[in-house]
Amino acid sequence: MNFIEEKILEKNNLENLTLRFPPEPNGFLHIGHAKSMCLNFGLAEKYGAPCVLRFDDTNPSTEEERYIRSIIRDVNWLGFDPSKITFASDNFYFIYDCAILLITKGLAYVDESTSEEMAEMKGTPTTSGKDSPFRNRPIEESLDLFNKMKEGKIEEGKLTLRAKIDMANPNMLLRDPVIYRVINKEHHRTGSEWCIYPMYDMAHPLCDYVERITDSLCTLEFEVHRPLYMWFLENCDLELPLPEETEFARLNVDHTIMSKRHLNRLVESGLVDGLDDPRMPTISGLRRRGYTPGSIRDFCERVGVTKRNSMVSHLLLEECLRNDLNETADRRMGVMDPIKLTITNWDKGTEMVEIENNPGNDETRMVPFSGELFIESEDFREVANRKFFRLKLGSEVRLKGAYVVMATDVIKDADGNIIEVLCTYDPLSKSGMEMDRKIKGTIHWVSREHGIHININEYDKLFSPEVVNDVIEDFNTESLIINNKAVFEPSVNGLERGVAVQMMRKGYYVMDTKDNVLNKTVSLKEGWNG
């Protein structure tokens, strides 16, 4: 149980508990949003409460319908079912009426200052701001100008509506913030009906109120916004119980960033091929790489909810994925760095051998086996010590699901590189047969005749340093390596796109949802020891 859950329980008002997840539709959701989703929807699931998916669509300059579709897909993919889907634009008339009320009460005024002039008048954290020359504009004049803003008679940037609070307040957000501005852009839902739009700090609390949200859960950067959140609620003559805001630490993962703006910069620079690039921390990118909903929810659960920002290792996310896939993923055989293995005494043509799909169940598949195979080059050494249990000259190893072979000779190229291993097989050693000796090593293989060649995208960390300072300079140029040598058993052609499988002894891979390549999801190596 986290401190937010404890706070909710202390209020003893579970019958009215209502939560919300309010993304802005100006980009793709990332793993940081997943933490907020898991918190809000998770609490709602636990206590049988509604949780609203609300789109904060108050800025038509940056918002698009495709982002709405993407966000809904991400929420559903993670296993969450919103009680309803709403939009801040649903409440534009109510928010507008509140603005009129604030002007009428002398708590808001229309300002003609430029953004640069307002910034200069605002002062600094250690010095008071200065009143705008329009701060004491007559109420009727502000009402008239605000109406002209609404009717589209004012150009963008010429007028704004500001709350009249306190230009000397230590919290600079309370120094007469802009609460409405003119934006002459088509809105994805309201079209050209509006040309004035409320700022987030005004729309957020008022939408929470209208939707009867009891607990507005925000990340820590909104802690300084909370007095402004309450100022709107307390000054708009609202009659019903008011929502309460609580802040928690945002998710920070090493070697990556949680910023839509910076992620978009990567796309614009051409360093990645889109917001759903499998290297990206977006939900779409993680899904394309082969991450599962269960692994992401487990990760968010393990990270927990605290009041202090901290850095989480990306290795924990990989470990959560590894644990989930180990239970669910089917096994296949793929050779990533192949070397030819020829069985010199093989005379059977092609034989089908039975191999289990997953050690956890009884399902099996038939795989073609022949006298010419590919094995991993690292699985053979001419000479090795007794601790090397794979194939070496004069020793035996079992080929997974098939026979025991002994290496007898090698063929090298002009430079002395081994290009082929010659071996013999024991016809009485097929898997399942009783043997008079113990074979310590087992390696995987692919029939040369039946192998399928598919390129592999192998991924590393998106950024080289743990803490990213500049998304261009810190970008890891080795974050994508393309392997064009890999060869796989024929069943790889039947893999379902987006569903990860384990390539025996190598890691987890997924058929890309866009291209005919395999994305490496995560290695088998356990890197997390936290």
Tab-separated table of all heavy atoms in Angstrom, residues 194-241:
chain	number	residue	atom	x	y	z
A	194	TRP	N	-14.627	27.684	-31.451
A	194	TRP	CA	-13.888	28.483	-30.471
A	194	TRP	C	-12.586	28.988	-31.077
A	194	TRP	O	-11.954	28.298	-31.885
A	194	TRP	CB	-13.558	27.645	-29.229
A	194	TRP	CG	-14.758	27.224	-28.439
A	194	TRP	CD1	-15.498	26.089	-28.618
A	194	TRP	CD2	-15.357	27.922	-27.357
A	194	TRP	NE1	-16.518	26.032	-27.711
A	194	TRP	CE2	-16.469	27.152	-26.916
A	194	TRP	CE3	-15.075	29.127	-26.697
A	194	TRP	CZ2	-17.289	27.549	-25.861
A	194	TRP	CZ3	-15.888	29.522	-25.647
A	194	TRP	CH2	-16.982	28.745	-25.238
A	195	CYS	N	-12.211	30.181	-30.665
A	195	CYS	CA	-10.883	30.682	-31.017
A	195	CYS	C	-10.156	31.160	-29.762
A	195	CYS	O	-9.082	31.748	-29.852
A	195	CYS	CB	-10.944	31.778	-32.065
A	195	CYS	SG	-12.003	33.163	-31.618
A	196	ILE	N	-10.763	30.950	-28.588
A	196	ILE	CA	-10.086	31.171	-27.311
A	196	ILE	C	-10.077	29.839	-26.561
A	196	ILE	O	-11.049	29.078	-26.606
A	196	ILE	CB	-10.756	32.266	-26.451
A	196	ILE	CG1	-12.238	31.943	-26.236
A	196	ILE	CG2	-10.565	33.638	-27.070
A	196	ILE	CD1	-12.901	32.855	-25.209
A	197	TYR	N	-8.972	29.573	-25.894
A	197	TYR	CA	-8.811	28.293	-25.214
A	197	TYR	C	-8.217	28.500	-23.825
A	197	TYR	O	-7.288	29.300	-23.648
A	197	TYR	CB	-7.903	27.362	-26.031
A	197	TYR	CG	-8.537	26.970	-27.343
A	197	TYR	CD1	-8.328	27.734	-28.488
A	197	TYR	CD2	-9.380	25.862	-27.426
A	197	TYR	CE1	-8.930	27.386	-29.687
A	197	TYR	CE2	-9.985	25.518	-28.617
A	197	TYR	CZ	-9.759	26.285	-29.744
A	197	TYR	OH	-10.369	25.943	-30.935
A	198	PRO	N	-8.762	27.782	-22.836
A	198	PRO	CA	-8.242	27.928	-21.471
A	198	PRO	C	-6.879	27.266	-21.335
A	198	PRO	O	-6.577	26.281	-22.009
A	198	PRO	CB	-9.292	27.193	-20.619
A	198	PRO	CG	-9.849	26.152	-21.550
A	198	PRO	CD	-9.847	26.785	-22.916
A	199	MET	N	-6.058	27.792	-20.442
A	199	MET	CA	-4.794	27.164	-20.121
A	199	MET	C	-5.060	25.925	-19.261
A	199	MET	O	-6.081	25.806	-18.585
A	199	MET	CB	-3.879	28.134	-19.374
A	199	MET	CG	-3.556	29.402	-20.159
A	199	MET	SD	-2.599	29.090	-21.661
A	199	MET	CE	-1.003	28.698	-20.954
A	200	TYR	N	-4.088	25.016	-19.264
A	200	TYR	CA	-4.240	23.759	-18.526
A	200	TYR	C	-4.542	24.011	-17.054
A	200	TYR	O	-5.388	23.319	-16.460
A	200	TYR	CB	-2.959	22.926	-18.656
A	200	TYR	CG	-2.981	21.664	-17.826
A	200	TYR	CD1	-3.647	20.522	-18.264
A	200	TYR	CD2	-2.348	21.624	-16.584
A	200	TYR	CE1	-3.672	19.365	-17.501
A	200	TYR	CE2	-2.371	20.468	-15.812
A	200	TYR	CZ	-3.037	19.344	-16.268
A	200	TYR	OH	-3.072	18.215	-15.502
A	201	ASP	N	-3.873	24.986	-16.433
A	201	ASP	CA	-4.052	25.213	-15.001
A	201	ASP	C	-5.481	25.627	-14.654
A	201	ASP	O	-5.905	25.441	-13.506
A	201	ASP	CB	-3.070	26.287	-14.507
A	201	ASP	CG	-1.698	25.713	-14.199
A	201	ASP	OD1	-1.630	24.550	-13.777
A	201	ASP	OD2	-0.698	26.425	-14.385
A	202	MET	N	-6.212	26.149	-15.611
A	202	MET	CA	-7.615	26.489	-15.372
A	202	MET	C	-8.527	25.319	-15.731
A	202	MET	O	-9.454	24.969	-14.984
A	202	MET	CB	-8.023	27.712	-16.174
A	202	MET	CG	-9.461	28.149	-15.907
A	202	MET	SD	-9.898	29.647	-16.808
A	202	MET	CE	-11.515	30.003	-16.082
A	203	ALA	N	-8.234	24.681	-16.868
A	203	ALA	CA	-9.096	23.591	-17.332
A	203	ALA	C	-9.016	22.377	-16.412
A	203	ALA	O	-10.028	21.715	-16.140
A	203	ALA	CB	-8.704	23.193	-18.754
A	204	HIS	N	-7.826	22.095	-15.900
A	204	HIS	CA	-7.603	20.904	-15.084
A	204	HIS	C	-8.528	20.839	-13.867
A	204	HIS	O	-9.294	19.881	-13.709
A	204	HIS	CB	-6.115	20.860	-14.686
A	204	HIS	CG	-5.748	19.760	-13.755
A	204	HIS	ND1	-4.654	19.829	-12.936
A	204	HIS	CD2	-6.330	18.563	-13.476
A	204	HIS	CE1	-4.569	18.728	-12.220
A	204	HIS	NE2	-5.576	17.946	-12.524
A	205	PRO	N	-8.513	21.827	-12.970
A	205	PRO	CA	-9.376	21.709	-11.787
A	205	PRO	C	-10.859	21.762	-12.123
A	205	PRO	O	-11.664	21.071	-11.487
A	205	PRO	CB	-8.947	22.902	-10.931
A	205	PRO	CG	-8.340	23.877	-11.876
A	205	PRO	CD	-7.683	23.050	-12.931
A	206	LEU	N	-11.232	22.570	-13.118
A	206	LEU	CA	-12.656	22.713	-13.430
A	206	LEU	C	-13.208	21.450	-14.089
A	206	LEU	O	-14.347	21.056	-13.846
A	206	LEU	CB	-12.877	23.943	-14.307
A	206	LEU	CG	-12.550	25.282	-13.607
A	206	LEU	CD1	-12.720	26.447	-14.572
A	206	LEU	CD2	-13.425	25.472	-12.365
A	207	CYS	N	-12.402	20.792	-14.913
A	207	CYS	CA	-12.828	19.506	-15.481
A	207	CYS	C	-12.918	18.450	-14.392
A	207	CYS	O	-13.841	17.624	-14.382
A	207	CYS	CB	-11.866	19.066	-16.581
A	207	CYS	SG	-11.989	20.023	-18.109
A	208	ASP	N	-11.952	18.457	-13.470
A	208	ASP	CA	-12.019	17.525	-12.336
A	208	ASP	C	-13.329	17.728	-11.573
A	208	ASP	O	-13.984	16.759	-11.162
A	208	ASP	CB	-10.835	17.745	-11.391
A	208	ASP	CG	-9.551	17.113	-11.905
A	208	ASP	OD1	-9.618	16.341	-12.880
A	208	ASP	OD2	-8.480	17.390	-11.328
A	209	TYR	N	-13.696	18.969	-11.385
A	209	TYR	CA	-14.929	19.280	-10.635
A	209	TYR	C	-16.158	18.766	-11.382
A	209	TYR	O	-17.014	18.091	-10.794
A	209	TYR	CB	-15.037	20.786	-10.402
A	209	TYR	CG	-16.344	21.192	-9.766
A	209	TYR	CD1	-16.542	21.073	-8.398
A	209	TYR	CD2	-17.398	21.687	-10.543
A	209	TYR	CE1	-17.760	21.434	-7.813
A	209	TYR	CE2	-18.606	22.043	-9.973
A	209	TYR	CZ	-18.778	21.912	-8.597
A	209	TYR	OH	-19.988	22.258	-8.023
A	210	VAL	N	-16.244	19.080	-12.674
A	210	VAL	CA	-17.413	18.689	-13.460
A	210	VAL	C	-17.567	17.170	-13.475
A	210	VAL	O	-18.681	16.643	-13.392
A	210	VAL	CB	-17.297	19.237	-14.899
A	210	VAL	CG1	-18.379	18.630	-15.791
A	210	VAL	CG2	-17.401	20.756	-14.898
A	211	GLU	N	-16.455	16.459	-13.570
A	211	GLU	CA	-16.499	14.995	-13.674
A	211	GLU	C	-16.558	14.328	-12.307
A	211	GLU	O	-16.485	13.101	-12.217
A	211	GLU	CB	-15.282	14.507	-14.473
A	211	GLU	CG	-15.324	14.964	-15.928
A	211	GLU	CD	-14.065	14.595	-16.702
A	211	GLU	OE1	-13.117	14.054	-16.097
A	211	GLU	OE2	-14.028	14.862	-17.911
A	212	ARG	N	-16.666	15.105	-11.260
A	212	ARG	CA	-16.799	14.617	-9.885
A	212	ARG	C	-15.589	13.771	-9.469
A	212	ARG	O	-15.710	12.768	-8.758
A	212	ARG	CB	-18.083	13.796	-9.693
A	212	ARG	CG	-19.373	14.436	-10.194
A	212	ARG	CD	-19.644	15.843	-9.646
A	212	ARG	NE	-19.548	15.929	-8.205
A	212	ARG	CZ	-18.815	16.862	-7.563
A	212	ARG	NH1	-18.093	17.737	-8.239
A	212	ARG	NH2	-18.787	16.888	-6.253
A	213	ILE	N	-14.413	14.176	-9.937
A	213	ILE	CA	-13.179	13.510	-9.528
A	213	ILE	C	-12.934	13.819	-8.053
A	213	ILE	O	-12.971	14.981	-7.645
A	213	ILE	CB	-11.982	13.989	-10.387
A	213	ILE	CG1	-12.269	13.781	-11.881
A	213	ILE	CG2	-10.703	13.293	-9.953
A	213	ILE	CD1	-12.539	12.358	-12.272
A	214	THR	N	-12.691	12.796	-7.269
A	214	THR	CA	-12.422	13.035	-5.843
A	214	THR	C	-10.935	13.232	-5.588
A	214	THR	O	-10.546	14.034	-4.734
A	214	THR	CB	-12.913	11.847	-4.992
A	214	THR	OG1	-12.283	10.632	-5.458
A	214	THR	CG2	-14.420	11.713	-5.083
A	215	ASP	N	-10.097	12.510	-6.347
A	215	ASP	CA	-8.652	12.561	-6.108
A	215	ASP	C	-7.926	12.739	-7.434
A	215	ASP	O	-7.923	11.839	-8.284
A	215	ASP	CB	-8.189	11.282	-5.411
A	215	ASP	CG	-8.750	11.180	-4.001
A	215	ASP	OD1	-9.884	10.670	-3.860
A	215	ASP	OD2	-8.076	11.625	-3.060
A	216	SER	N	-7.325	13.905	-7.579
A	216	SER	CA	-6.583	14.242	-8.786
A	216	SER	C	-5.113	13.946	-8.522
A	216	SER	O	-4.443	14.675	-7.800
A	216	SER	CB	-6.792	15.728	-9.116
A	216	SER	OG	-6.092	16.093	-10.276
A	217	LEU	N	-4.617	12.863	-9.105
A	217	LEU	CA	-3.256	12.400	-8.823
A	217	LEU	C	-2.321	12.894	-9.918
A	217	LEU	O	-2.496	12.580	-11.096
A	217	LEU	CB	-3.230	10.880	-8.741
A	217	LEU	CG	-4.284	10.250	-7.802
A	217	LEU	CD1	-4.129	8.735	-7.764
A	217	LEU	CD2	-4.180	10.838	-6.397
A	218	CYS	N	-1.322	13.687	-9.515
A	218	CYS	CA	-0.408	14.327	-10.454
A	218	CYS	C	1.039	14.061	-10.047
A	218	CYS	O	1.316	13.748	-8.892
A	218	CYS	CB	-0.632	15.843	-10.491
A	218	CYS	SG	-2.330	16.352	-10.830
A	219	THR	N	1.946	14.216	-10.994
A	219	THR	CA	3.363	14.051	-10.675
A	219	THR	C	3.888	15.288	-9.952
A	219	THR	O	3.263	16.353	-9.957
A	219	THR	CB	4.180	13.767	-11.946
A	219	THR	OG1	3.803	14.697	-12.963
A	219	THR	CG2	3.921	12.355	-12.432
A	220	LEU	N	5.052	15.128	-9.337
A	220	LEU	CA	5.563	16.130	-8.390
A	220	LEU	C	5.734	17.521	-8.975
A	220	LEU	O	5.665	18.518	-8.237
A	220	LEU	CB	6.901	15.659	-7.809
A	220	LEU	CG	6.843	14.709	-6.618
A	220	LEU	CD1	8.241	14.343	-6.177
A	220	LEU	CD2	6.071	15.338	-5.458
A	221	GLU	N	5.979	17.620	-10.281
A	221	GLU	CA	6.174	18.960	-10.841
A	221	GLU	C	4.919	19.816	-10.738
A	221	GLU	O	4.973	21.042	-10.874
A	221	GLU	CB	6.644	18.892	-12.296
A	221	GLU	CG	5.688	18.221	-13.251
A	221	GLU	CD	6.032	16.762	-13.483
A	221	GLU	OE1	6.502	16.099	-12.546
A	221	GLU	OE2	5.819	16.294	-14.613
A	222	PHE	N	3.766	19.170	-10.470
A	222	PHE	CA	2.520	19.926	-10.319
A	222	PHE	C	2.267	20.348	-8.873
A	222	PHE	O	1.247	20.986	-8.590
A	222	PHE	CB	1.331	19.111	-10.839
A	222	PHE	CG	1.311	18.982	-12.335
A	222	PHE	CD1	1.802	17.852	-12.957
A	222	PHE	CD2	0.825	20.013	-13.119
A	222	PHE	CE1	1.806	17.733	-14.330
A	222	PHE	CE2	0.816	19.913	-14.501
A	222	PHE	CZ	1.311	18.772	-15.107
A	223	GLU	N	3.187	20.037	-7.979
A	223	GLU	CA	2.998	20.427	-6.583
A	223	GLU	C	2.896	21.938	-6.438
A	223	GLU	O	2.066	22.455	-5.679
A	223	GLU	CB	4.143	19.888	-5.730
A	223	GLU	CG	3.953	20.096	-4.245
A	223	GLU	CD	5.014	19.390	-3.421
A	223	GLU	OE1	6.094	19.077	-3.985
A	223	GLU	OE2	4.776	19.134	-2.239
A	224	VAL	N	3.726	22.676	-7.187
A	224	VAL	CA	3.674	24.143	-7.110
A	224	VAL	C	2.420	24.683	-7.795
A	224	VAL	O	2.054	25.847	-7.586
A	224	VAL	CB	4.936	24.784	-7.724
A	224	VAL	CG1	6.159	24.447	-6.905
A	224	VAL	CG2	5.120	24.353	-9.179
A	225	HIS	N	1.764	23.872	-8.600
A	225	HIS	CA	0.524	24.288	-9.268
A	225	HIS	C	-0.689	24.112	-8.356
A	225	HIS	O	-1.753	24.686	-8.647
A	225	HIS	CB	0.294	23.479	-10.544
A	225	HIS	CG	1.299	23.709	-11.624
A	225	HIS	ND1	0.999	24.347	-12.810
A	225	HIS	CD2	2.614	23.379	-11.702
A	225	HIS	CE1	2.078	24.399	-13.565
A	225	HIS	NE2	3.081	23.809	-12.916
A	226	ARG	N	-0.545	23.347	-7.285
A	226	ARG	CA	-1.709	23.022	-6.465
A	226	ARG	C	-2.405	24.264	-5.878
A	226	ARG	O	-3.649	24.328	-5.874
A	226	ARG	CB	-1.343	22.054	-5.349
A	226	ARG	CG	-2.588	21.459	-4.686
A	226	ARG	CD	-2.328	20.667	-3.430
A	226	ARG	NE	-1.041	20.044	-3.366
A	226	ARG	CZ	-0.381	19.867	-2.228
A	226	ARG	NH1	-0.892	20.311	-1.087
A	226	ARG	NH2	0.796	19.261	-2.208
A	227	PRO	N	-1.673	25.290	-5.394
A	227	PRO	CA	-2.381	26.490	-4.911
A	227	PRO	C	-3.229	27.153	-5.990
A	227	PRO	O	-4.317	27.666	-5.706
A	227	PRO	CB	-1.235	27.404	-4.448
A	227	PRO	CG	-0.121	26.470	-4.118
A	227	PRO	CD	-0.226	25.367	-5.119
A	228	LEU	N	-2.733	27.114	-7.234
A	228	LEU	CA	-3.515	27.686	-8.332
A	228	LEU	C	-4.722	26.795	-8.640
A	228	LEU	O	-5.823	27.304	-8.936
A	228	LEU	CB	-2.624	27.843	-9.565
A	228	LEU	CG	-3.232	28.538	-10.789
A	228	LEU	CD1	-3.787	29.905	-10.423
A	228	LEU	CD2	-2.192	28.644	-11.901
A	229	TYR	N	-4.526	25.492	-8.583
A	229	TYR	CA	-5.615	24.524	-8.748
A	229	TYR	C	-6.744	24.854	-7.768
A	229	TYR	O	-7.924	24.946	-8.153
A	229	TYR	CB	-5.046	23.123	-8.501
A	229	TYR	CG	-6.010	21.964	-8.588
A	229	TYR	CD1	-6.143	21.235	-9.764
A	229	TYR	CD2	-6.757	21.550	-7.480
A	229	TYR	CE1	-6.990	20.130	-9.840
A	229	TYR	CE2	-7.604	20.464	-7.548
A	229	TYR	CZ	-7.721	19.752	-8.736
A	229	TYR	OH	-8.573	18.665	-8.803
A	230	MET	N	-6.391	25.060	-6.513
A	230	MET	CA	-7.397	25.356	-5.493
A	230	MET	C	-7.976	26.758	-5.666
A	230	MET	O	-9.149	26.992	-5.345
A	230	MET	CB	-6.791	25.192	-4.099
A	230	MET	CG	-6.394	23.764	-3.748
A	230	MET	SD	-7.738	22.549	-4.009
A	230	MET	CE	-9.037	23.224	-2.959
A	231	TRP	N	-7.179	27.701	-6.160
A	231	TRP	CA	-7.670	29.072	-6.348
A	231	TRP	C	-8.861	29.080	-7.302
A	231	TRP	O	-9.867	29.760	-7.032
A	231	TRP	CB	-6.543	29.953	-6.889
A	231	TRP	CG	-6.906	31.406	-6.985
A	231	TRP	CD1	-6.776	32.360	-6.014
A	231	TRP	CD2	-7.480	32.074	-8.126
A	231	TRP	NE1	-7.226	33.582	-6.479
A	231	TRP	CE2	-7.668	33.431	-7.774
A	231	TRP	CE3	-7.849	31.660	-9.406
A	231	TRP	CZ2	-8.195	34.368	-8.644
A	231	TRP	CZ3	-8.391	32.597	-10.286
A	231	TRP	CH2	-8.553	33.930	-9.903
A	232	PHE	N	-8.768	28.354	-8.396
A	232	PHE	CA	-9.892	28.293	-9.334
A	232	PHE	C	-11.113	27.652	-8.681
A	232	PHE	O	-12.238	28.158	-8.805
A	232	PHE	CB	-9.498	27.523	-10.597
A	232	PHE	CG	-8.624	28.298	-11.529
A	232	PHE	CD1	-7.291	27.961	-11.691
A	232	PHE	CD2	-9.126	29.361	-12.254
A	232	PHE	CE1	-6.475	28.673	-12.545
A	232	PHE	CE2	-8.323	30.085	-13.115
A	232	PHE	CZ	-6.985	29.743	-13.265
A	233	LEU	N	-10.906	26.553	-7.995
A	233	LEU	CA	-12.030	25.858	-7.377
A	233	LEU	C	-12.705	26.706	-6.309
A	233	LEU	O	-13.935	26.673	-6.153
A	233	LEU	CB	-11.549	24.541	-6.763
A	233	LEU	CG	-11.025	23.480	-7.746
A	233	LEU	CD1	-10.469	22.282	-6.987
A	233	LEU	CD2	-12.135	23.036	-8.711
A	234	GLU	N	-11.924	27.473	-5.591
A	234	GLU	CA	-12.467	28.257	-4.475
A	234	GLU	C	-13.052	29.593	-4.906
A	234	GLU	O	-13.770	30.239	-4.123
A	234	GLU	CB	-11.372	28.494	-3.434
A	234	GLU	CG	-10.961	27.207	-2.721
A	234	GLU	CD	-9.676	27.358	-1.928
A	234	GLU	OE1	-9.043	28.439	-2.035
A	234	GLU	OE2	-9.283	26.404	-1.227
A	235	ASN	N	-12.801	30.016	-6.147
A	235	ASN	CA	-13.264	31.333	-6.573
A	235	ASN	C	-14.290	31.288	-7.695
A	235	ASN	O	-14.673	32.340	-8.208
A	235	ASN	CB	-12.069	32.192	-7.010
A	235	ASN	CG	-11.269	32.713	-5.834
A	235	ASN	OD1	-11.687	33.623	-5.114
A	235	ASN	ND2	-10.100	32.108	-5.623
A	236	CYS	N	-14.729	30.107	-8.063
A	236	CYS	CA	-15.707	29.991	-9.146
A	236	CYS	C	-17.104	29.654	-8.626
A	236	CYS	O	-17.953	29.146	-9.379
A	236	CYS	CB	-15.249	28.949	-10.171
A	236	CYS	SG	-13.873	29.530	-11.190
A	237	ASP	N	-17.337	29.899	-7.332
A	237	ASP	CA	-18.660	29.729	-6.718
A	237	ASP	C	-19.237	28.332	-6.977
A	237	ASP	O	-20.398	28.172	-7.388
A	237	ASP	CB	-19.637	30.803	-7.238
A	237	ASP	CG	-19.217	32.214	-6.835
A	237	ASP	OD1	-18.252	32.344	-6.055
A	237	ASP	OD2	-19.844	33.170	-7.319
A	238	LEU	N	-18.436	27.324	-6.733
A	238	LEU	CA	-18.850	25.940	-6.954
A	238	LEU	C	-19.532	25.409	-5.705
A	238	LEU	O	-19.110	25.679	-4.585
A	238	LEU	CB	-17.633	25.088	-7.312
A	238	LEU	CG	-16.808	25.614	-8.502
A	238	LEU	CD1	-15.575	24.765	-8.711
A	238	LEU	CD2	-17.662	25.653	-9.769
A	239	GLU	N	-20.605	24.634	-5.881
A	239	GLU	CA	-21.438	24.208	-4.753
A	239	GLU	C	-21.145	22.790	-4.285
A	239	GLU	O	-21.319	22.477	-3.107
A	239	GLU	CB	-22.914	24.324	-5.142
A	239	GLU	CG	-23.343	25.761	-5.459
A	239	GLU	CD	-24.795	25.837	-5.870
A	239	GLU	OE1	-25.419	24.756	-6.032
A	239	GLU	OE2	-25.311	26.951	-6.057
A	240	LEU	N	-20.708	21.919	-5.188
A	240	LEU	CA	-20.489	20.520	-4.823
A	240	LEU	C	-19.115	20.347	-4.179
A	240	LEU	O	-18.263	21.234	-4.260
A	240	LEU	CB	-20.612	19.644	-6.067
A	240	LEU	CG	-21.990	19.664	-6.761
A	240	LEU	CD1	-21.928	18.889	-8.067
A	240	LEU	CD2	-23.063	19.086	-5.851
A	241	PRO	N	-18.866	19.200	-3.541
A	241	PRO	CA	-17.544	18.959	-2.935
A	241	PRO	C	-16.430	19.101	-3.969
A	241	PRO	O	-16.577	18.713	-5.131
A	241	PRO	CB	-17.653	17.523	-2.410
A	241	PRO	CG	-19.111	17.312	-2.172
A	241	PRO	CD	-19.809	18.093	-3.252
